[in-house]
């Protein structure tokens, strides 16, 4: 079901702790804030497709949502089940499955795609994932999906000053044209096979699946390009300032491409 290279990367077990790093916590905190404002209130049913070890599914369950998590990585399924058992309010179900063929029949109040689109390099595979999200949504339900911005890679290369390194400029030029990324070295810090969207492309995919786009949101905005963002996120007062500013500019179209992640919020029609 899943690309062997992608599976090998996630079998390293890095995902469970990834968002706890102060620099990456911008993504976690901003995504939770966006979900809090766009999901129907608990006890709504939520289907978290590609939910990994449960970074978002577990907090939502604690808040009273009835959450089903589906992920194609057996390690993630095990980790999510274990963590769920340690909560007062655990997950409703944890299933092994792929975004292109979701192993559930019922419709949900909300469907999350907070990861699958990263690794579906084929347009048809992404379209299948979107069709599955639509199928699993009740009429009037909300889909929230995230993509990695194609343009952030260039800003990140500049901020890290690694453009002069061998192969960086050439790889970036290819990425800007195709959206496809391959990790030639296999080093974990260089991620794995991925697809990077433009903001308009992400919105178009949701629309093509029969959903109405309600919002396009820059998750981190330019915050992760700040050299001292980890220090700011480790300090409560400075962290809140970072988060407040990002929230104020989150739907500004000129900011979308500077954000590492872009979220689309879309809705299934009330009647279909």
């Amino acid at each position: 079901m899943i690309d062997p290279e992608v599976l090998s990367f996630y079998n390293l077990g890095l995902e469970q702790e990834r968002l706890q790093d102060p620099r990456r916590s911008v993504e976690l905190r901003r995504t939770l804030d966006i979900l809090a404002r766009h999901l129907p209130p608990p006890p709504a049913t939520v289907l978290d497709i590609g939910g990994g070890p449960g970074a978002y599914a577990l907090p939502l369950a604690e808040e009273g949502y009835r959450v089903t998590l589906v992920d194609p990585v057996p390690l993630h399924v095990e980790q999510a089940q274990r963590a769920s058992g340690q909560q007062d309010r655990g997950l409703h179900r944890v299933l092994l499955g792929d975004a292109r063929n979701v192993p559930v029949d019922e419709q949900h109040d909300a469907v999350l795609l907070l990861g699958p689109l990263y690794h579906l390099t084929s347009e048809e595979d992404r379209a299948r994932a979107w069709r599955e999200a639509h199928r699993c949504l009740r009429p009037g339900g909300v889909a929230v999906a995230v993509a990695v911005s194609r343009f952030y890679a260039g800003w990140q290369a500049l901020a890290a000053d690694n453009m002069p390194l061998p192969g960086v400029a050439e790889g970036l030029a290819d990425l800007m044209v195709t959206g496809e990324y391959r990790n030639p070295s296999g080093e974990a810090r260089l991620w794995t096979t991925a697809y990077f969207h433009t903001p308009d492309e992400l919105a178009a995919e949701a629309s093509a699946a029969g959903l109405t786009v309600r919002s396009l949101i820059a998750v981190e905005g330019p915050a992760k390009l700040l050299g001292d963002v980890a220090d700011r996120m480790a300090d409560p007062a400075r962290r809140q300032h970072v988060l407040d500013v990002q929230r104020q500019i989150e739907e500004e179209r000129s900011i979308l491409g500077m954000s590492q992640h872009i979220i689309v919020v879309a809705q299934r029609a009330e009647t279909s």
Side-chain angles (χ1 to χ4, degrees):
M1 292 189 298
I2 184 173
D3 184 317
E5 182 182 326
V6 175
L7 179 61
S8 178
F9 173 80
Y10 284 110
N11 274 336
L12 296 174
L14 304 175
E15 189 65 15
Q16 191 171 40
E17 303 297 330
R18 179 179 68 87
L19 294 174
Q20 303 309 312
D21 174 84
R23 183 171 180 272
R24 295 188 176 99
S25 69
V26 184
E27 175 188 346
L28 175 66
R29 291 177 181 274
R30 283 281 299 138
T31 302
L32 287 172
D33 175 54
I34 293 163
L35 292 175
R37 289 181 281 127
H38 289 276
L39 293 184
T45 56
V46 176
L47 176 61
D48 188 0
I49 304 173
Y56 301 108
L58 292 165
L60 290 174
E62 281 279 36
E63 290 175 19
Y65 287 94
R66 186 178 174 90
V67 184
T68 295
L69 183 150
V70 177
D71 198 84
V73 180
L75 174 62
H76 289 170
V77 169
E78 294 170 12
Q79 291 172 330
Q81 288 174 327
R82 189 180 310 117
S84 175
Q86 297 170 352
Q87 293 191 169
D88 291 335
R89 293 174 172 175
L91 301 171
H92 172 55
R93 286 181 301 179
V94 182
L95 304 173
L96 184 69
D98 189 276
R100 295 160 292 184
N101 187 19
V102 181
V104 301
D105 296 322
E106 69 274 13
Q107 295 178 325
H108 297 73
D109 298 312
V111 171
L112 309 182
L113 288 169
L114 301 179
L117 300 180
Y118 297 168
H119 303 299
L120 299 177
T121 56
S122 156
E123 181 178 356
E124 174 53 29
D125 279 347
R126 294 193 301 278
R128 286 174 61 190
W130 276 110
R131 288 195 296 269
E132 284 290 87
H134 184 281
R135 177 181 68 81
C136 294
L137 265 181
R138 66 163 179 81
V142 175
V144 181
V146 69
V148 180
S149 167
R150 187 175 306 183
F151 306 115
Y152 176 79
W155 292 110
Q156 184 182 44
L158 287 173
D161 196 25
N162 62 10
M163 291 292 280
L165 297 178
V168 171
E170 294 81 2
L172 184 60
D174 289 342
L175 174 64
M176 291 297 181
V177 173
T178 67
E180 296 186 19
Y181 171 77
R182 300 289 188 278
N183 180 349
S185 68
E187 293 183 35
R189 64 185 181 88
L190 299 179
W191 208 24
T192 185
T193 299
Y195 186 80
F196 291 25
H197 284 73
T198 69
D200 288 343
E201 182 180 30
L202 178 62
E205 288 181 357
S207 296
L211 302 171
T212 300
V213 173
R214 299 301 186 197
S215 300
L216 265 181
I217 301 170
V219 178
E220 307 93 341
K224 285 188 69 177
L225 299 172
L226 300 171
D228 63 345
V229 68
D231 293 335
R232 298 192 195 198
M233 294 301 293
D235 176 83
R238 300 176 76 199
R239 175 174 65 233
Q240 194 58 51
H241 183 229
V242 170
L243 298 176
D244 288 346
V245 170
Q246 298 315 305
R247 185 167 175 173
Q248 290 166 8
I249 63 175
E250 64 181 18
E251 294 194 57
E252 169 55 46
R253 292 194 65 83
S254 64
I255 298 295
L256 290 172
M258 294 186 71
S259 183
Q260 183 177 17
H261 297 92
I262 309 162
I263 276 179
V264 62
V265 179
Q267 187 172 24
R268 179 170 175 173
E270 290 285 353
T271 58
S272 58

